[in-house]
Amino acid sequence: MLEVEDLTVYYYTSKGVVRAVEGVSFSISKREWITFVGESGSGKSTVAQAVIRLVPYPGKIQGGKILFNGKNILELNKKEMRKLRGREISMVFQDPMTSLDPLRKIGDQVVEAMTEHGVDEEEAKKRAIKLLKRVNIPEDRIDYYPHQLSGGQRQRVAIAIAAALEPSLIIADEPTTALDVIVQESIMELLQELKNSGTSIMFVTHDISLAFERSDRIAVMYAGKVCELGRSEELVSNPIHPYLKALLDSVPDVHSDKKVKAIPGNPPDLRNPPSGCRFHPRCPFASEICKKEEPELVELEKGHFVACHEVV
Amino acid sequence: MELVQVRNLKTYFPVRIGIIDALKRKKLFVRAVDGVSFSIKRGEVFGLIGESGCGKTTLSRSVLRLIEPTEGEVIFNGINILKLNDEEMRKIRKSMQIIFQDPYSSLNPKMKIGEIIAHPLIIHGMDKKEAKEQVLQMLGKVGLTPEKEFYERYPHQLSGGQRQRVAIARAMVLNPEFVVADEAVSMIDVSMRASIIELLEEFRRMYNLSMLFVTHDIAIARLITNRTAVMYLGKIVELSETKTLIDNPLHPYSRALINAAPTISRKKDFKVKIKGEVPNAINPPEGCRLSNRCPFASEICKKEEPELVEVEKGHFVACHMT
Amino acid sequence: MILLSSFLLKPINAIFGNKKGRGYFIAGLVIVSIVVLMAIFAPFIAPYNPTAITMDTFSPPCWKHIMGTNRLGQDVFSRIVWGSRIILYVVLLASSLSMVIGIPSGLISGYYGGKLDRILSMVMDSIYAFPALILAIVIAVVLGPSPINAAVAIAFVYVPTYFRMVRGQTLSLKSQLFVEAAKAIGARNREIMFKYILPNLIPTILVVFSLSVADAILTEAGLSFLGLSVTPPTPDWGYDLRVGQAFFLDGYWWLAFFPGLMIMLLAMAFALIGEALNERMTSR
């Protein structure tokens, strides 16, 4: 359904060009949940924003193709893009206050999300009530303003708006990072329900455990590139890329007594990324070739892609 | 040997109210911490977990008297610190320190790293030259090398992880017996967290330090704490050895909390569920505070407040149903 | 010269880069520096004794007297040069005085809060409510005319400006974690105020300083215009402006024009610096 080829996004800051995302390719099929995992600065959010062409200034999509049902999104004009957003692809942000209007009632905002795309007012109102009910916002809250709701409820409203027109893809960029675990769980469940009813989910998080629980596939990003991509159980039980291995070793788990190990060094400065494999300065297995040549993302087993010289 | 004993501690904050309520002399309080008791042994890491708004941060500040508690006792080394005057309190702070969550606002932007870490020493009477020696040593211990270079830098020149190391150095340089770590790793990037935790663990081992480790992340609590208390709306609802608590949580709230924590080590059952969200602490529900959200609540839960009772050795629960 | 200017530009570039406000800042700085240099080197710059009475009265600007002479035959340019000393002296003394009172009281009021804060705020607000010039005139009249009294009068008027700014900022800084951290290491309140809060106020204080100096220049000129600052024959811009304006309609325009121009330029220069710093700080 969605195919991204060779996506490259740079940020033109006053302190130099940040090569935030470089040569990222992946696809999402119908009714699939794919999660992008990475640390801050890995480019995971930028990929998500690029798919809906909302990369913030001074970022620019430098190259690549984003094919949505065969059409290249990057070639659409503004009007076509507006039509696509919300109707075909919609987005949920980390902070729901960035997308909700603080001065308007939540019910009206859900209604507007539909009327803007040509649904008539009466119909939209009926559907808004249903939608809010579906995301567990009681009917009497429909006239509330965003600030009267808790963080979790606001995020539910944001999801209701995103789901209003039954888009084929919902992009969720760290929607639960600011929330507590119990609320997080309920938001995840909501997304799962949307997925079960036919929507594809592109989820972005820094928490690999969270990614593992609900997603079909996981893409692990490091320094602007996808280093490993595959089915989520496969990735967690059989990690191949040294970065993913190190990442899994560095996070504690509630139900295991394993000791954690930090990854030595720091993520690179993407204004001037390391030559060859971007992980090589921190990689315990790096050899000469890693410093010189960039590894390509290769399919090792069916559906399991890795970008590493040492394992190919 | 108990180093810190907290007895029936309460911290209430007055709520700003309208003029009419003020005339009626109605006073409202946020009961952020409402009758909490626990103790921490020497060399023990005591965890405090709960969602935002449960009072864990207020509790951590009240124990150090950075917020003035309303009622109760905090006994440190046999002394009730809530009875001390300003000067005595200032002196005892040498032995009880805190590491904050946000390494960006916890360091004075106008002071050099060296000065930040040296200041506690100077306050407690060390001369500048000796303090500098100690600070350089400390910088080495927290892994900020080359020491001399970091000494001269300003906070904004450091990454989040490095700043948190500075905050740890500032707390540890006084050689305290007790340290509160308030979400000390939650703002640090995942791959760096482990190294900060390792550092804290190292200090604990070396100096037989006691710690109050406040976190919302149960996985981290499992990693570093010996015992853990679960807080809900200003009260401790369950307290036990951390491993027991996670493997066999008894209180419905702890069960929901632990169940909701994402994990990769097993497929979870999504069964124990708590409805809704944490209500505010101005008007907590009567009886058991979880009664309006608890799937197991019965009549008694709505009327009587359950007490924290020992159900097996060292495992305390406050629930009528267990 | 080029070396000197590049030496001066370096810190300016460090603060402003190529950002907005840099031009304002440099323009303001150039004017202020000229006036300061004029004050310091007055004996070498002024071609004549500023108080010497000569027969050459009411000479219009010419090569001998580039700004002309006044009714007593004194060289206007020389009086401008020497007059910069008085105005800078009064204004800087006044501003330092208001800072010395306004900053600590603002810090204490904001930091401790409570009753003291309420009383101080009320007093300061009531001073602030008066029009600055009128209040300064009243005080200067009560104290009697002299430069020091003028400075005290002006200082009094600007104390609330510093107080309000410092108090407000202290209130917000007080809730910052590093202040709590200072308490936790056992710092005394005095140390927290002066070592942790005050250094973070300096950028704002600089802005308020430049803007209030700009304002104080006009107030000083106003006071000496009314004869409440220096006594003749001491050269002073405000005084010369007053005396000069009486002859304006007789066609002796230069008597009032040059002192007036200087007052305006100097006030504007400080205002430019203040605005530029303000711009820089808010855009960060």
Side-chain angles (χ1 to χ4, degrees), chain A residues 39-40 150 153 180-182 185 189 206 209-210 212-214 251 253-257 260 262-263 266, chain B residues 51-52 189-192 194-195 198 218-219 222-223 243 246 257 260 262-266 268 270 273 277:
Chain A
E39 297 173 69
S40 44
S150 70
Q153 287 169 330
D180 282 307
V181 273
I182 293 180
E185 183 66 45
E189 205 161 55
H206 63 270
S209 319
L210 190 64
F212 165 75
E213 282 189 349
R214 304 270 183 182
V251 292
D253 194 278
V254 217
H255 298 292
S256 119
D257 279 325
V260 295
I263 306 176
N266 288 307
Chain B
E51 295 177 277
S52 45
D189 235 329
V190 216
S191 73
M192 308 282 193
S195 61
E198 266 166 35
I218 305 154
R222 174 168 194 141
L223 195 65
K243 220 173 154 269
I246 289 169
L257 199 63
T263 172
I264 51 174
S265 60
R266 67 180 189 210
K268 72 168 142 197
F270 293 105
K273 252 175 232 150
E277 287 170 34

